[in-house]
């Protein structure tokens, strides 16, 4: 399978704990995106990487959130001191860097904060 | 990016064509229309996109009106597996604009 992969698929944690998610993009894609989706809503943009550079962060990405893409390949999204409001599906997508390059999504990581 | 308007839900009989409308009356000349769908608890799946001309691929056809203010996604022979939320998104692919802005989409239910 050469699509976008995410790990873990499900994560249950207690409030106040830190969690980290991983995304492996399609190998030739140099753009990587994180989105968050809460129940009944469409996905919302969180942040975007071009190679290893994080070029934009949404206001939704509070100080407790940090994303990295150290070698321009896989990316991690860490949430520190989780809150119940962080419960959501966290989606990763990747694309090439052409003007109309399509974003392809992974299966998502569903986070439940108790 | 231009805002899109979609009906919240639609039904379709299995084997029939599903026609999903989308209004994007404020679309500008360099904005593309993208369609994604999301089957329950999965990541969004890309379907098709277009600028001005009608487009067709193995999944669907996209019909864009001449004034580009609306479009229709057509699934020619809907199956039960096409039951999903369908999102119409307008994206300015010029410069560095790359964020997909999802609305609530249309829940298409294909009935046997």
């Amino acid at each position: 399978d050469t699509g976008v992969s995410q790990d873990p698929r499900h994560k249950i944690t207690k409030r106040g704990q830190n969690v980290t998610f991983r995304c492996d993009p399609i190998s030739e894609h140099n753009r990587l995106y994180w989105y968050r989706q809460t129940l009944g809503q469409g996905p919302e943009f969180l942040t975007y990487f071009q190679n290893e550079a994080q070029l934009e962060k949404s206001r939704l990405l509070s100080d407790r959130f940090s994303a990295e893409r150290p070698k321009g390949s896989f990316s991690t999204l860490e949430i520190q001191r989780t809150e119940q409001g962080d419960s959501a599906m966290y989606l990763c997508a990747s694309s090439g860097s052409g003007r109309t390059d399509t974003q392809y999504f992974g299966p998502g990581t569903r986070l439940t904060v108790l | 990016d231009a805002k899109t308007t979609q009906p919240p839900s639609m039904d379709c009989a299995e084997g029939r064509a599903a026609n999903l409308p989308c209004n994007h009356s404020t679309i500008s000349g360099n904005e593309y229309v993208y369609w994604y769908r999301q089957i329950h608890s999965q990541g969004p799946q890309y379907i098709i996109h277009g600028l001005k001309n009608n487009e067709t691929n193995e999944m669907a056809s996209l019909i864009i009106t001449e004034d580009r203010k609306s479009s229709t996604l057509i699934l020619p022979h809907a199956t039960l597996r096409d039951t999903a939320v369908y999102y119409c998104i307008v994206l300015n692919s010029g410069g560095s604009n790359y964020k997909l802005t999802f609305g609530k989409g249309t829940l298409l239910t294909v009935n046997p």
Side-chain angles (χ1 to χ4, degrees), chain A:
Chain A
D1 186 10
T2 58
V4 178
S5 61
Q6 293 187 245
D7 183 70
R9 295 290 307 277
H10 302 274
K11 178 70 176 178
I12 300 174
T13 191
K14 293 182 179 178
R15 189 177 52 177
Q17 298 295 304
N18 299 342
V19 294
T20 300
F21 309 140
R22 176 178 170 127
C23 171
D24 286 89
I26 293 171
S27 58
E28 62 268 27
H29 285 175
N30 56 6
R31 290 183 174 173
L32 187 147
Y33 314 79
W34 286 98
Y35 291 80
R36 182 174 70 185
Q37 184 174 27
T38 53
L39 204 60
Q41 305 296 317
E44 297 174 290
F45 172 82
L46 290 179
T47 190
Y48 150 69
F49 290 85
Q50 171 101 13
N51 299 311
E52 66 275 9
Q54 188 174 16
L55 297 185
E56 184 170 343
K57 295 193 294 185
S58 162
R59 290 190 304 271
L60 296 174
L61 214 63
S62 76
D63 291 345
R64 296 183 297 104
F65 288 70
S66 63
E68 294 182 344
R69 194 182 183 199
K71 296 183 180 179
S73 56
F74 72 92
S75 175
T76 58
L77 178 67
E78 180 183 17
I79 309 174
Q80 297 183 325
R81 305 180 303 281
T82 53
E83 301 173 355
Q84 287 185 326
D86 297 331
S87 295
M89 173 81 86
Y90 290 84
L91 294 158
C92 176
S94 71
S95 76
S97 55
R99 292 183 66 181
T100 59
D101 276 26
T102 299
Q103 293 183 33
Y104 293 93
F105 284 80
T109 294
R110 180 164 296 284
L111 173 66
T112 302
V113 181
L114 302 177

Side-chain angles (χ1 to χ4, degrees), chain B residues 65-76:
Chain B
T65 58
E66 192 169 343
D67 63 7
R68 304 210 323 122
K69 293 185 177 182
S70 66
S71 60
T72 301
L73 178 74
I74 301 172
L75 308 179

Side-chain angles (χ1 to χ4, degrees), chain B:
Chain B
D1 290 338
K3 183 176 180 180
T4 61
T5 304
Q6 299 179 253
S9 63
M10 293 183 65
D11 287 318
C12 178
E14 188 178 19
R16 304 296 295 270
N19 296 277
L20 293 97
C22 180
N23 286 321
H24 31 79
S25 58
T26 59
I27 194 170
S28 59
N30 58 354
E31 290 182 319
Y32 286 74
V33 180
Y34 279 76
W35 284 83
Y36 282 79
R37 73 179 182 184
Q38 190 171 26
I39 295 169
H40 183 61
S41 295
Q42 298 183 19
Q45 178 188 23
Y46 166 75
I47 302 173
I48 199 166
H49 74 280
L51 181 63
K52 294 180 182 179
N53 299 321
N54 298 337
E55 301 287 345
T56 295
N57 63 19
E58 65 278 5
M59 288 183 68
S61 294
L62 174 60
I63 308 298
I64 302 174
T65 58
E66 192 169 343
D67 63 7
R68 304 210 323 122
K69 293 185 177 182
S70 66
S71 60
T72 301
L73 178 74
I74 301 172
L75 308 179
H77 306 287
T79 71
L80 299 179
R81 288 177 292 182
D82 292 322
T83 292
V85 177
Y86 287 76
Y87 296 100
C88 169
I89 300 166
V90 171
L91 180 68
N92 184 340
S93 291
S96 60
N97 196 328
Y98 38 74
K99 289 179 283 188
L100 295 174
T101 302
F102 290 81
K104 292 192 175 182
T106 296
L107 172 60
L108 174 69
T109 303
V110 181
N111 300 304

